[in-house]
């Protein structure tokens, strides 16, 4: 029975959504499920045949999608971030890129006997890991903060850098193929570089200026930037053949490093785009993979993958680690973790098609080779990362820190109290003034939506396994609750009661969210904010046989609000109900206490000898 094109296109969209959901449920990189879905829909069942469906539009669509991917990746490349993440990260970018590219090139050339051009392009593509595959793996494994930071920032920075390298190599191959003599090929390559860098820099500056000066309304920032980028991509390709990918990469890097350009909202816009467009793209790309092409590679494929994983990656890590403080266990773990991601898959499919079109017959091995590299590294390393971390002793202890939703005065006060007890904290807020104040108080803070993909990639949750909702934004509170209930677990999400909980049922919070409410003896955010404005402060109290919990309550006339307790095993617990709280001796209370009256405070501060002198001197004579 013939299947309509409409049904196939709808099936691609539904399949991409199912794959994204599965990845979220099992906490693995989405690309693994997207590729598996594409292989199932294409070579296994024959349901999806991209060439028959899209015909001549297939590779223009892929080309535009790759441009979007490279532009989004380049928007994350900020120069100061390269400088600010340690010697190991700074070394890994140039050293790791060069070592992996050289070894991957030689392996493909000598073992698979492809042309030097195709081998060099494979070597360039194989350097890219990417945050979309690294971030889910790290969240599931929880290696030490040092290793997590190295792997995270390597993925973020190598994404656009590796893509730029692959684009430059591809431009060089195409330029050489168009020239009959060396000088003409050099001219074509120089023209491509000139057009790419000149138009990319000019477009990046112009678009950044438009956003910074607010020459277009806020609601057009995302759509306007996207369409402008695609227009620049097309114009660049018309001026110099295949220069558009270089142009959009340079444009993104330029915008990322301009001051006061709001690129974060553009990055968030990419999330919806990735579900609708990029996810579908990888199902389509995987559907084009042929088992026969993989089988033709034979044991040579296994040898190339083994060389990249067991020789190229360790060589990159150990050379980059020279002069750092990493021990051998940490180096070994970094040597094992290098899953390839979205950029590698998209770029390989596009470049293979372009090279085959201009006469490079061996370019056909590029797609199955890169796809098998992605599938092997993502699958194998996702399954073994946790036991390897445990075996090497580089796994974090159980996460007991707190992600605090809100960076308002109440949240900052709580974060400061936890910080004094060496409890990891991370504040997050969409209010810039609150974020600025938190940074001035030297508190770790993330500016943006905590449930966004950008937060999943950039927000450091090392050592954090609980969510504390101290925000007045009710809609965001509910979204964050749902998001982190599935991530941290039902017993690790805590929220304040809503001020309108007695209103009609349709305004009530959903049951799953409601179970997290009732933090800090059932007070609302408005009540907490009011107490803080009245001068209430956070105080730590050590209980003992001589000073019991009841004495503590009496001291503050039952006006103290216990926020956290630290038990005899040094575990911190948020307090929900003070009436049922039964702390033992040697427990520590972290409480919000009322300001002491001025006379009481003065009496406490005065030494007993001075009070005695005043009493004596002020006493009436007998």
């Amino acid at each position: 029975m013939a299947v309509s094109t409409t049904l196939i296109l709808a099936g691609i969209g539904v399949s991409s959504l199912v794959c994204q959901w599965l990845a979220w449920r099992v906490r693995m990189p989405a690309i693994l499920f997207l590729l598996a879905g594409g292989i199932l829909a294409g070579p296994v069942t024959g349901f999806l045949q991209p060439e028959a469906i899209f015909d001549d539009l297939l590779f223009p669509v892929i080309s535009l999608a790759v441009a979007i991917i490279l532009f989004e990746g380049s928007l994350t490349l900020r120069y100061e971030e390269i400088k600010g993440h340690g010697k190991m990260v700074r070394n890994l970018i140039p050293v790791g890129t060069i070592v992996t590219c050289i070894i991957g090139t030689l392996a493909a050339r000598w073992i698979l006997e492809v042309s030097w051009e195709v081998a060099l392009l494979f070597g360039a593509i194989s350097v890219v890991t990417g945050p979309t595959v690294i971030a889910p793996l790290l969240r599931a494994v929880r290696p030490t903060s040092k290793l997590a930071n190295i792997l995270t920032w390597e993925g973020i920075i190598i994404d656009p850098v590796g893509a730029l390298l692959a684009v430059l190599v591809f431009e060089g191959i195409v330029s050489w193929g168009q020239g009959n003599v060396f000088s003409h090929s050099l001219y074509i390559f120089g023209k491509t570089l000139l057009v790419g860098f000149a138009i990319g820099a000019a477009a990046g500056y112009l678009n950044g200026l438009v956003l910074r000066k607010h020459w277009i309304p806020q609601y057009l920032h995302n759509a306007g930037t996207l369409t402008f980028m695609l227009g620049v991509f097309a114009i660049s390709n018309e001026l110099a053949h295949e220069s558009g990918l270089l142009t959009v990469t340079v444009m993104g890097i330029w915008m990322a490093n301009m001051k006061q350009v709001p690129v974060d909202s553009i990055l968030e816009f990419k999330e919806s785009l990735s579900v609708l467009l990029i996810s579908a793209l990888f199902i389509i790309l995987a559907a084009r993979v042929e088992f026969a092409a993989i089988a033709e590679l034979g044991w040579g494929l296994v040898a190339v993958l083994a060389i990249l994983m067991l020789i190229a990656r360790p060589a990159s890590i150990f050379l980059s680690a020279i002069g750092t403080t990493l021990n051998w266990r940490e180096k070994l773990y970094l040597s094992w973790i290098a899953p390839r991601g979205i950029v590698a898959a998209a770029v390989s499919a596009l470049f293979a098609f372009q090279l085959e079109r201009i006469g490079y017959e061996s370019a056909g091995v590029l797609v199955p080779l890169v796809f098998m590299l992605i599938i092997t590294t993502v699958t194998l390393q996702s399954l073994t990362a946790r036991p390897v971390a445990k075996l090497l002793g580089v796994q974090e202890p159980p996460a007991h820190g707190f992600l605090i939703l809100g960076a308002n005065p109440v949240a900052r006060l709580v974060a400061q109290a936890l910080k004094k007890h060496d409890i990891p904290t991370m504040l997050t807020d969409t209010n810039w003034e609150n974020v600025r104040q938190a940074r001035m108080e030297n508190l770790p803070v993330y500016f943006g939506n905590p449930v966004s993909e950008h937060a999943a990639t950039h927000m450091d949750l090392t050592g954090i396994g609980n969510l504390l909702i101290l925000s007045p934004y009710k809609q965001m509170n509910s979204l964050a609750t749902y998001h982190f209930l599935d991530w941290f677990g039902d017993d690790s999400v805590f929220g304040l009661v809503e001020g309108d909980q007695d209103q009609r049922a349709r305004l009530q919070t959903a049951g799953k969210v409601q179970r997290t409410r009732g933090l800090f003896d059932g007070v609302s955010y408005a009540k907490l904010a009011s107490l803080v404005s009245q001068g209430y402060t956070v105080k730590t109290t050590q209980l003992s046989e001589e000073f019991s919990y009841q004495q503590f309550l009496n001291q503050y006339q039952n006006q103290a609000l216990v926020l956290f307790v630290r038990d005899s095993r040094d575990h911190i617990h948020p307090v929900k109900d003070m009436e049922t709280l039964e702390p033992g001796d040697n427990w520590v209370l972290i409480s919000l206490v009322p300001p002491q009256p001025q006379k009481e405070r003065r009496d406490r501060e005065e030494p007993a000898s001075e009070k005695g002198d005043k009493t004596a001197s002020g006493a009436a004579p007998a």
Side-chain angles (χ1 to χ4, degrees):
M1 184 181 78
V3 181
S4 68
T5 302
T6 302
L7 179 60
I8 292 175
L9 292 176
I12 293 173
V14 173
S15 299
S16 66
L17 181 61
V18 171
C19 292
Q20 290 280 355
W21 179 82
L22 282 172
W24 168 72
R25 286 302 302 176
V26 301
R27 304 178 187 179
M28 290 184 69
I31 188 173
L32 184 62
F33 295 92
L34 293 170
L35 295 180
I39 292 173
L40 182 64
V44 174
T45 64
F47 175 78
L48 176 59
Q49 298 177 2
E51 280 82 358
I53 297 298
F54 296 95
D55 198 21
D56 293 338
L57 288 178
L58 177 61
F59 279 95
V61 169
I62 292 176
S63 182
L64 291 174
V66 172
I68 294 171
I69 294 170
L70 295 184
F71 177 68
E72 185 274 334
S74 61
L75 280 175
T76 65
L77 185 58
R78 296 183 174 92
Y79 300 137
E80 66 271 11
E81 291 180 346
I82 301 177
K83 300 176 182 177
H85 288 87
K87 186 176 181 179
M88 184 63 188
V89 176
R90 294 197 301 270
N91 291 350
L92 260 179
I93 303 309
V95 174
T97 299
I98 293 171
V99 169
T100 304
C101 183
I102 291 174
I103 295 178
T105 299
L106 296 178
R109 171 59 182 167
W110 291 340
I111 297 175
L112 298 177
E113 298 180 350
V114 299
S115 66
W116 277 110
E117 292 85 355
V118 174
L120 183 59
L121 185 56
F122 169 72
I125 292 174
S126 65
V127 308
V128 181
T129 57
T132 55
V133 288
I134 287 289
L137 188 149
L138 293 179
R139 286 198 299 266
V141 176
R142 294 189 303 103
T144 60
S145 59
K146 182 196 298 185
L147 298 182
N149 285 332
I150 291 172
L151 290 170
T152 297
W153 286 105
E154 180 201 9
I156 291 172
I157 297 170
I158 202 67
D159 202 22
V161 170
L164 180 58
L165 174 64
V167 170
L168 289 175
V169 170
F170 173 73
E171 306 295 1
I173 294 172
V174 173
S175 301
W176 183 265
Q178 290 180 356
N180 296 321
V181 295
F182 176 77
S183 59
H184 185 64
S185 297
L186 192 62
Y187 163 75
I188 296 295
F189 183 57
K191 178 184 177 182
T192 301
L193 292 183
L194 179 62
V195 170
F197 279 99
I199 294 184
Y205 175 76
L206 178 60
N207 198 81
L209 191 65
V210 168
L211 296 179
R212 187 167 63 190
K213 297 289 187 180
H214 302 287
W215 289 344
I216 60 175
Q218 178 72 33
Y219 72 90
L220 284 180
H221 279 196
N222 297 332
T225 298
L226 176 64
T227 52
F228 179 65
M229 180 272 296
L230 293 177
V232 169
F233 169 76
I235 292 172
S236 179
N237 275 344
E238 291 296 319
L239 295 175
H241 185 62
E242 299 300 342
S243 64
L245 296 179
L246 176 60
T247 299
V248 298
T249 303
V250 174
M251 176 182 173
I253 294 174
W254 191 283
M255 288 179 58
N257 290 277
M258 282 184 69
K259 294 182 178 179
Q260 299 177 349
V261 176
V263 298
D264 288 338
S265 61
I266 300 172
L267 287 170
E268 288 190 19
F269 174 66
K270 178 256 179 189
E271 295 175 38
S272 298
L273 199 62
S274 66
V275 175
L276 297 174
L277 173 62
I278 299 174
S279 299
L281 169 68
F282 288 107
I283 291 179
I284 294 172
L285 292 178
R288 297 184 68 252
V289 175
E290 298 177 0
F291 291 146
I294 297 175
E296 286 179 5
L297 296 176
W299 289 103
L301 170 64
V302 179
V304 171
L305 298 183
I307 288 172
L308 282 171
M309 296 175 63
L310 303 178
I311 296 178
R313 179 62 175 179
S316 301
I317 293 297
F318 278 83
L319 287 174
S320 301
I322 295 175
T324 67
T325 59
L326 292 175
N327 59 45
W328 68 269
R329 290 185 179 86
E330 293 168 332
K331 294 175 188 176
L332 281 180
Y333 191 74
L334 292 175
S335 298
W336 180 239
I337 304 299
R340 271 55 174 191
I342 284 175
V343 171
V347 170
S348 65
L350 179 62
F351 288 172
F353 171 77
Q354 302 286 18
L355 290 180
E356 284 181 305
R357 195 171 61 177
I358 61 177
Y360 290 92
E361 295 181 1
S362 60
V365 307
L366 193 60
V367 171
L369 184 56
V370 171
F371 273 50
M372 286 307 298
L373 176 63
I374 294 170
I375 293 171
T376 302
T377 54
V378 172
T379 304
L380 190 58
Q381 293 171 9
S382 295
L383 294 176
T384 61
R386 186 189 295 273
V388 170
K390 188 175 296 185
L391 177 66
L392 294 174
V394 295
Q395 195 173 23
E396 284 279 352
H400 58 279
F402 289 87
L403 172 64
I404 301 178
L405 182 60
N408 47 69
V410 174
R412 297 199 302 270
L413 199 64
V414 172
Q416 290 285 11
L418 293 172
K419 184 179 177 181
K420 291 179 181 178
H421 289 265
D422 297 323
I423 303 299
T425 58
M426 170 65 71
L427 298 166
T428 175
D429 206 315
T430 55
N431 183 303
W432 171 247
E433 181 59 29
N434 287 340
V435 170
R436 188 181 69 84
Q437 289 294 335
R439 288 176 177 171
M440 290 179 64
E441 296 176 19
N442 200 28
L443 293 169
V445 62
Y446 171 78
F447 176 47
N449 182 352
V451 302
S452 66
E453 184 178 334
H454 185 268
T457 303
H458 292 75
M459 188 164 59
D460 183 11
L461 295 182
T462 304
I464 291 175
N466 303 279
L467 176 67
L468 203 62
I469 300 175
L470 302 178
S471 159
Y473 311 125
K474 296 178 182 178
Q475 183 177 6
M476 177 60 70
N477 294 348
S478 297
L479 288 174
T481 299
Y482 277 118
H483 181 78
F484 288 101
L485 272 172
D486 292 299
W487 190 253
F488 291 147
D490 292 354
D491 298 329
S492 299
V493 176
F494 308 93
L496 301 170
V497 298
E498 301 286 5
D500 60 352
Q501 65 179 27
D502 292 330
Q503 293 183 11
R504 287 176 295 178
R506 67 182 180 89
L507 298 178
Q508 295 289 328
T509 309
K512 188 176 181 182
V513 176
Q514 190 65 30
R515 291 197 300 271
T516 68
R517 304 303 191 203
L519 185 63
F520 302 156
D521 210 34
V523 300
S524 64
Y525 172 81
K527 178 64 175 179
L528 273 181
S530 174
L531 294 177
V532 171
S533 67
Q534 294 173 33
Y536 275 62
T537 57
V538 174
K539 181 177 180 180
T540 299
T541 305
Q542 174 82 52
L543 299 181
S544 63
E545 293 183 3
E546 292 77 20
F547 190 77
S548 66
Y549 176 53
Q550 188 58 49
Q551 289 175 297
F552 164 79
L553 296 177
N554 294 338
Q555 177 178 330
Y556 292 103
Q557 301 176 356
N558 292 320
Q559 294 181 15
L561 181 64
V562 181
L563 306 178
F564 302 88
V565 293
R566 190 165 196 161
D567 60 26
S568 55
R569 297 176 297 173
D570 285 338
H571 293 169
I572 289 279
H573 307 281
V575 173
K576 283 196 169 185
D577 186 3
M578 287 180 58
E579 290 187 4
T580 59
L581 180 62
E582 297 180 355
D585 295 339
N586 299 320
W587 283 35
V588 174
L589 307 180
I590 302 176
S591 314
L592 195 65
V593 300
Q596 297 175 355
Q598 184 176 359
K599 180 178 183 304
E600 180 182 346
R601 185 168 62 249
R602 186 172 61 246
D603 289 345
R604 287 180 175 273
E605 293 173 353
E606 288 177 353
S609 57
E610 291 185 15
K611 289 195 291 185
D613 291 341
K614 287 184 179 181
T615 303
S617 61

